[in-house]
Amino acid sequence: MKATYMFGPGDVRIIDAPDPDLLDTTDAVVRIVRACVCGSDLHPYHSMDSTPDGVSMGHEFIGVVEEIGSDVRTLTPGDLVIAPFAYSDGTCEFCREGLHTSCLHGGFWDAPGMGGGQAEAIRVPYADGTLVKVPGVDEKSKLLASLLTLSDVYGTGWHAAHRAGVTEGDTVAVIGDGAVGLMAVLSAKQLGAERIILMGRHKSRTDLGIEFGATDIVAERGEEGIAKVRELAGGHGVRKVLEAVGHLPAYEQAYGIVRPGGIISRVGVPQYEEAPVGFGSLFGGNVTLTGGPAPVRSYIEQLMPTILDGTVNPGKVFDRTVGLDEVPDAYRAMDDREALKVMIAL
């Protein structure tokens, strides 16, 4: 089969890879029909160590079940399914608590021994715990783009708003106008936020943010951006800050605009290990820091009905669609900010 591998910074190739097979009785083989490139895929695109064997890529996909192991009980061949960006058994203590990204037996796509989702097919371990069947929808549906967001970005944006405790009447700031930031705007709106300040500087993206529910746009960065947000929020800062970037300047923006006693919910994959947490950043203002890798498996069934009934259309974050052979150019386009998020149609 064809699959996407990265061999070093900027070096993305489509190669011939072995077809996936069932290895355990709880596995399923899924033929992928839609996948996409994630903003977090651009981190290794910039900085990974070169390797002659390459690394499989892709952790967001939906597909059709082709084959199941003898112990799979909830799926049958032909089912259209959504795969979260982490696989999980669905039964361990953390899965039962809704924290599937900490599953005792789970893991992440593209890890050694696992395939990636930017490919024609993939083996899914713990199929009953990982995959979510989409009722009444087939692979020709116009809803595929929106359903694909449930594999990561919509669930991650929801996680940001949920962990911040966004509720009716809140004022919320969202840092980042990428796909996750836009989904955080949508999620905050769904949870009842009255005012949503989106920090972003790409007009095509912030226009979509307004469509999703943003009430104010702040394009300024650094101290100027902090001052503008604080002014909009009445001078003391914002109670709920959703950080969807992952770079240190975004974190610094977050603690610069958060109100004393407020919450920073951080879902951008952090590209740093050390960051201020002392008196001048978090401690002095009694600020709570939360977030983390979103356990999107726990949110899919909650969020899917509004997609199926047409209430929301998160698939609008995809502004370009390519075939599998064009994936290397999709990475380039997203890295050059020519595309917000690229969908792969197989």
Side-chain angles (χ1 to χ4, degrees):
M1 69 168 185
K2 291 182 178 180
T4 304
Y5 274 63
M6 188 179 294
F7 290 82
D11 187 2
V12 178
R13 309 177 203 171
I14 307 302
I15 69 166
D16 289 323
D19 292 334
D21 294 314
L22 299 175
L23 298 183
D24 295 302
T25 58
T26 55
D27 289 352
V29 172
V30 173
R31 174 174 55 85
I32 297 171
V33 298
R34 292 291 187 277
C36 53
V37 180
C38 183
S40 64
D41 292 333
L42 299 180
H43 296 317
Y45 188 73
H46 292 150
S47 61
M48 75 171 282
D49 293 331
S50 296
T51 170
D53 297 324
V55 177
S56 64
M57 296 301 299
H59 55 264
E60 303 163 275
F61 61 92
I62 58 178
V64 175
V65 175
E66 294 283 280
E67 190 177 0
I68 58 174
S70 59
D71 288 325
V72 175
R73 297 288 179 262
T74 63
L75 302 166
T76 57
D79 287 342
L80 181 73
V81 291
I82 302 167
F85 68 80
Y87 62 89
S88 53
D89 63 19
T91 60
C92 80
E93 60 181 288
F94 295 113
C95 288
R96 294 195 303 271
E97 293 172 9
L99 201 59
H100 296 76
T101 47
S102 295
C103 176
L104 294 172
H105 306 108
F108 297 89
W109 312 114
D110 303 319
M114 297 304 305
Q118 295 166 10
E120 292 182 313
I122 194 168
R123 177 182 74 91
V124 177
Y126 305 111
D128 284 328
T130 300
L131 298 172
V132 179
K133 180 179 177 179
V134 184
V137 176
D138 63 28
E139 62 183 285
K140 297 181 180 180
S141 173
K142 295 180 180 179
L143 297 175
L144 293 187
S146 286
L147 292 169
L148 178 57
T149 66
L150 292 174
S151 67
D152 186 348
V153 290
Y154 189 7
T156 296
W158 182 270
H159 185 59
H162 170 68
R163 292 292 295 172
V166 175
T167 190
E168 293 288 338
D170 273 343
T171 294
V172 178
V174 177
I175 300 174
D177 58 8
V180 172
L182 296 175
M183 292 296 94
V185 169
L186 175 63
S187 299
K189 180 66 175 180
Q190 289 180 285
L191 288 169
E194 182 175 314
R195 190 171 195 180
I196 302 172
I197 303 167
L198 173 59
M199 300 190 75
R201 56 197 310 187
H202 304 90
K203 189 175 185 303
S204 62
R205 301 181 181 193
T206 56
D207 284 350
L208 184 55
I210 291 170
E211 184 176 341
F212 284 151
T215 56
D216 302 271
I217 304 298
V218 173
E220 295 86 352
R221 294 184 179 180
E223 292 301 321
E224 188 179 0
I226 290 170
K228 183 68 175 293
V229 173
R230 295 179 74 88
E231 177 187 352
L232 288 171
H236 299 300
V238 181
R239 294 186 187 276
K240 313 286 175 69
V241 179
L242 316 183
E243 192 274 282
V245 179
H247 291 291
L248 187 58
Y251 175 75
E252 293 169 341
Q253 292 279 104
Y255 69 71
I257 65 176
V258 70
R259 181 185 177 95
I263 300 172
I264 298 172
S265 183
R266 191 178 57 151
V267 295
V269 179
Q271 300 304 295
Y272 53 88
E273 287 294 335
E274 297 181 359
V277 296
F279 209 98
S281 53
L282 304 187
F283 185 84
N286 284 282
V287 173
T288 297
L289 180 65
T290 186
V296 297
R297 176 61 183 83
S298 66
Y299 302 134
I300 291 175
E301 286 146 321
Q302 177 184 358
L303 298 176
M304 185 162 46
T306 57
I307 290 175
L308 296 179
D309 69 14
T311 303
V312 298
N313 184 10
K316 288 185 176 181
V317 296
F318 296 108
D319 56 352
R320 185 176 299 189
T321 301
V322 301
L324 189 57
D325 289 333
E326 301 168 279
V327 168
D329 191 59
Y331 274 79
R332 182 206 56 76
M334 285 182 58
D335 191 48
D336 290 344
R337 299 294 191 270
E338 293 177 8
L340 166 59
K341 191 167 180 66
V342 180
M343 183 165 63
I344 306 162
L346 293 94

